[in-house]
Amino acid sequence: MASGTVRIQVEDHVAIMTVSRPEKLNALDLDMLKALARAADEVEANADVRAAILTGEGKGFSAGGDIKAWGGMRPEEFGHAWVRYGHRVFERLATLRVPLIAALNGHALGGGLELAGVADIRIAEEHIKIGLPETGLGMVPGWSGTQRLVKRFGAQVVRRMALGGEIFTAEEARVLGIVDAVTSSGNVVDTAKEYARRVASRGPAALEIVKLMIASANGEDNGAAVEALGSILVAKTADLKEGVASFSEKRPAKFKGEW
């Protein structure tokens, strides 16, 4: 039996993904990682969705990786089945075609902060705490805490959390650029919905392309971003239509250089 799930609700072109394992403060095990991957695929495939929100059920956003899920793994299993798979899932979320907003209704520590880091925008409730406490357990951030978070928050901020063990309040995190806005407790999902509706009112194609362009400029997934942009452009050309038609009709293509 799965230990949790990710619920998806779509309203006004906004998909709300809710990590649901409240009895464990939405800590992630392999079942939860798989549920996140399925949720990302479902949102990606829904052409009606123009923006998405990621939040947690109950009092927590996500307590990060469930120690009971990985604590007994063999080193090679830990590296491959846990760290590398989690990386793939988080990358899937980070590269959603639509803008993603993290609504932090509870603490975002360790893997929870890495999960929040996949979002384009982060909104936090005023009571939450943020940090990367892994070295206090004798381990290191494994789901891009030293990679994506450095690109998005800056190396020095990550050093303070990962090396110094500093835990920031929501307001401190806002000043440091880790979160984009702080709201009162209990209101973060409504605030995220309002922001998401603003995003969803803008041109969907422009949003998708701008997200790819920003990722490329920030050094994130450069190859895929460039190839996606090129493919979108080429897909609209008359030359591509001619190439496909010539293949189907088993004749030489007559390209005219038409866009």
Side-chain angles (χ1 to χ4, degrees):
M1 178 181 294
S3 61
T5 188
V6 179
R7 299 195 312 274
I8 300 175
Q9 177 184 355
V10 178
E11 54 184 57
D12 299 327
H13 301 293
V14 176
I16 304 167
M17 297 183 287
T18 304
V19 181
S20 180
R21 198 187 179 201
E23 72 282 2
K24 294 288 186 179
L25 293 177
N26 302 317
L28 303 176
D29 59 8
L30 286 174
D31 285 331
M32 289 301 297
L33 289 173
K34 292 174 183 177
L36 279 169
R38 290 192 298 270
D41 288 344
E42 183 174 334
V43 169
E44 184 86 6
N46 189 338
D48 190 52
V49 173
R50 298 182 182 179
I53 294 170
L54 179 64
T55 193
E57 182 179 348
K59 298 180 179 180
F61 173 70
S62 174
D66 188 339
I67 294 177
K68 289 185 177 179
W70 58 261
M73 289 183 176
R74 301 184 307 277
E76 67 276 14
E77 183 183 13
F78 178 72
H80 291 278
W82 184 255
V83 174
R84 293 189 67 180
Y85 180 66
H87 249 275
R88 292 198 298 272
V89 173
F90 280 30
E91 186 69 11
R92 184 73 185 87
L93 289 163
T95 56
L96 277 177
R97 63 174 177 80
V98 298
L100 177 61
I101 301 162
L104 308 182
N105 56 311
H107 301 330
L109 301 170
L113 179 55
E114 291 169 315
L115 179 60
V118 305
D120 300 291
I121 301 291
R122 280 162 292 283
I123 303 173
E125 293 191 355
E126 59 189 359
H127 69 278
I128 77 162
K129 301 292 179 64
I130 282 175
L132 293 170
E134 285 92 341
T135 54
L137 296 174
M139 65 178 300
V140 300
W143 289 334
S144 210
T146 63
Q147 305 300 308
R148 180 179 295 109
L149 299 195
V150 167
K151 292 174 181 175
R152 295 194 172 187
F153 306 154
Q156 197 58 29
V157 170
V158 175
R159 285 189 182 101
R160 290 176 62 183
M161 292 188 289
L163 301 180
E166 293 188 48
I167 302 295
F168 299 127
T169 65
E171 180 58 25
E172 289 171 335
R174 186 193 66 78
V175 172
L176 291 167
I178 302 172
V179 302
D180 300 287
V182 176
T183 188
S184 57
S185 296
N187 290 322
V188 72
V189 173
D190 287 339
T191 302
K193 285 181 180 180
E194 181 179 352
Y195 196 96
R197 285 193 291 268
R198 183 199 311 178
V199 171
S201 71
R202 308 176 82 81
L207 288 173
E208 182 175 353
I209 291 172
V210 166
K211 179 169 176 173
L212 285 168
M213 292 167 69
I214 292 171
S216 179
N218 204 38
E220 300 179 32
D221 195 30
N222 272 341
V226 170
E227 289 185 354
L229 288 169
S231 297
I232 290 169
L233 180 61
V234 168
K236 297 180 179 295
T237 66
D239 274 358
L240 177 61
K241 293 182 177 64
E242 166 60 15
V244 172
S246 67
F247 178 83
S248 299
E249 297 165 10
K250 296 181 173 55
R251 60 172 175 79
K254 298 178 181 179
F255 295 122
K256 299 179 180 179
E258 295 180 351
W259 291 80

